[in-house]
């Protein structure tokens, strides 16, 4: 239990820097730490390239987006997740948003619960979405509650069965479980005591920092760490130890109890280096996959033991940072790597001796890929984010097809590139309640004065709707405009 309250500060292999505070006038009580010296020629060149790309992107925002909200973060957030839908109205929905604050130690690290107003499609005016200040906080994002986290928040995952329950990874072996509604709101001042997690999941033998997943069908938790283990828990096991006591009035499935801990259902061994990400099969509580710094993709089945079912020895030519399993078609798995690529595998083509070429290798990013996720709104679409400051949106059905619209030199399958960030995009998340809406966060320490950027965006539906349907709509609009002109 001591590790959870005093996480070890060991460097991460991904090289994510500690946050530097962005200097603002909104929080004068916090003294800004010294910034890194970025006066080298290489640093200036990188900043110039990023600024040029960002300026070009900002000039076309009204054309590309149906809605965009830009929110300056005083401290970087290494993870972002949509929570439950709270309210619905005519022009917008209010929804929970989970973020974090990765500080430099001058104030505590926090888990932030925010309320976000999501503007409905075709409501925002073009001038509204284009006129934003990069240094300002968005009026659409408001803090609801702050939890003082024991160590920086590397990863946040919500429990699908109850999205008031979230799990977090920090620089320690344990997984921390939080009941958002039961936790008291805290003020993150220097020296403030850490919040107590509602449940601590034990089982790792070394720090588990990034690999974390929740099962879509049952309250199961999956984790991976530096010990090369993949560890599985069931929160049901904790509930069964509560001597038949009922859950709290808010409907939580986690009974609040200080220092409550839970051991694993299984520890799975097969990786030879740090496990970087894990994911459940969307239709099974017992099948899952993992990727790691050994360049492997491994498939597991808890029903048949703790050894790999299938192990792809060379899924990429470098560390594999992220993985996602298609919720629409359980045969397809995505992986993202430090080799700048995203691979899509068909598990029907994988064999037990580790042989299996990807269905396709998606190459457009210019730096290590940090996050991949399938789109909930179309089975063939997915997104990927990387250290090149971009979120790319792909459609594998378009690979090999001749597409007349779009950039002529674009990579096969790429149909949208979000370039609104100016440094590494460490996480993004599709919104299941609002189609084609994405939240993304970047750690801006290396290219600006520190801090981070949160953006909530929805591309224009003219980009992803069927081509013939879009052309018909545009022709109708053209005829309407012509009819409104002066009569001859």
């Amino acid at each position: 239990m001591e590790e959870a309250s005093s996480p070890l500060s060991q460097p991460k292999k991904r090289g994510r820097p500690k946050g530097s505070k962005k200097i603002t006038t909104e929080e004068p009580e916090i003294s800004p730490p010294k910034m890194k010296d970025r006066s080298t020629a290489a640093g200036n060149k990188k900043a110039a390239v990023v600024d040029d790309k960002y300026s070009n992107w900002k000039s076309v925002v009204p054309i590309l987006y149906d809605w965009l909200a830009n929110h300056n973060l005083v401290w970087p957030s290494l993870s972002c997740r949509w929570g439950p839908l709270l309210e619905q109205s005519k022009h917008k929905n209010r929804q929970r948003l989970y973020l974090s604050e990765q500080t430099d130690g001058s104030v505590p690290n926090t888990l932030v619960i925010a309320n976000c107003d999501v503007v409905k499609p075709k409501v925002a005016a073009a001038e509204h979405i284009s006129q934003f200040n990069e240094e300002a906080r968005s009026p659409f994002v408001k803090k609801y509650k702050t939890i003082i986290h024991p160590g920086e928040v590397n990863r946040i995952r919500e429990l699908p069965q109850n999205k008031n329950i979230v799990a977090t990874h920090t620089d320690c072996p344990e997984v921390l479980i939080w009941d958002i509604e039961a936790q008291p709101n805290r003020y993150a001042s220097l020296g403030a005591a850490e919040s107590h997690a509602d449940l601590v999941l034990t089982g790792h033998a070394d720090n588990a920092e990034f690999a974390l997943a929740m099962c879509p069908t049952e309250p199961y938790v999956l984790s991976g760490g530096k010990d090369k283990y993949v560890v599985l828990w069931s929160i049901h096991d904790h509930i069964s130890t509560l001597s038949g006591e009922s859950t709290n009035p808010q409907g939580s499935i986690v009974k609040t109890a200080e220092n409550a801990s839970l051991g694993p259902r299984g520890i799975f061994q097969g990786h030879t280096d740090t496990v970087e990400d894990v994911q459940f099969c969307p239709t099974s509580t017992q099948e899952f996959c993992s990727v790691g710094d050994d360049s492997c993709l491994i498939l597991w089945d808890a029903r048949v033991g703790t050894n790999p079912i299938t192990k792809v020895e060379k899924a990429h030519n470098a560390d594999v940072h992220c993985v996602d399993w298609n919720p629409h078609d359980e045969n397809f798995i995505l992986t993202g790597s430090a080799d700048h690529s995203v691979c899509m595998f068909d598990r029907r083509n994988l064999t037990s001796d580790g042989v299996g070429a990807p269905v396709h290798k998606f190459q457009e990013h210019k730096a290590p890929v940090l996050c991949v996720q399938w789109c909930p709104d179309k089975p063939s679409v997915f997104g990927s984010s990387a250290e090149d400051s971009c979120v790319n949106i792909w459609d594998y059905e378009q690979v090999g097809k001749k597409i007349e619209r779009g950039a002529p030199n674009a990579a096969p399958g790429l149909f949208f590139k979000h370039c609104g960030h100016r440094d590494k995009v460490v996480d993004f998340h599709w919104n299941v309640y609002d189609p084609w809406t994405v939240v993304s966060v970047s750690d801006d320490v290396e290219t600006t004065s520190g801090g981070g950027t949160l953006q909530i965006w929805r591309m224009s539906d003219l980009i992803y709707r069927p081509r013939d349907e879009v052309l018909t709509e545009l022709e109708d609009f053209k005829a309407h405009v012509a009819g409104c002109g002066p009569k001859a």
Side-chain angles (χ1 to χ4, degrees), residues 398-456:
Q398 302 302 328
V399 174
K401 293 183 179 180
K402 182 179 179 181
I403 306 297
E404 294 181 2
R405 60 179 176 175
N409 298 321
L414 180 68
F415 74 93
F416 189 81
K417 181 183 282 286
H418 177 67
C419 300
H421 293 280
R422 288 173 288 175
D423 210 326
K424 60 181 73 66
V425 183
V426 291
D427 201 9
F428 73 95
H429 191 206
W430 295 93
N431 192 332
V432 297
Y433 296 107
D434 196 283
W436 295 90
T437 302
V438 177
V439 59
S440 52
V441 287
S442 58
D443 181 345
D444 301 340
V445 167
E446 294 183 0
T447 54
T448 67
S449 58
T453 301
L454 176 144
Q455 291 184 334
I456 304 161

Side-chain angles (χ1 to χ4, degrees), residues 339-403:
D339 67 7
H340 307 181
S341 72
V342 176
C343 286
M344 184 176 78
F345 291 91
D346 186 336
R347 68 170 177 169
R348 295 168 295 187
N349 298 335
L350 306 178
T351 60
S352 58
D353 59 358
V355 177
V359 175
H360 188 75
K361 191 171 187 176
F362 299 86
Q363 296 178 289
E364 173 67 20
H365 284 295
K366 309 303 181 185
V369 178
L370 299 179
C371 182
V372 291
Q373 191 192 8
W374 290 100
C375 174
D377 306 301
K378 187 178 179 182
S380 59
V381 171
F382 64 90
S384 60
S385 69
E387 292 185 9
D388 60 6
S389 77
C390 292
V391 181
N392 290 342
I393 308 298
W394 311 80
D395 186 346
Y396 73 76
E397 285 186 346
Q398 302 302 328
V399 174
K401 293 183 179 180
K402 182 179 179 181
I403 306 297

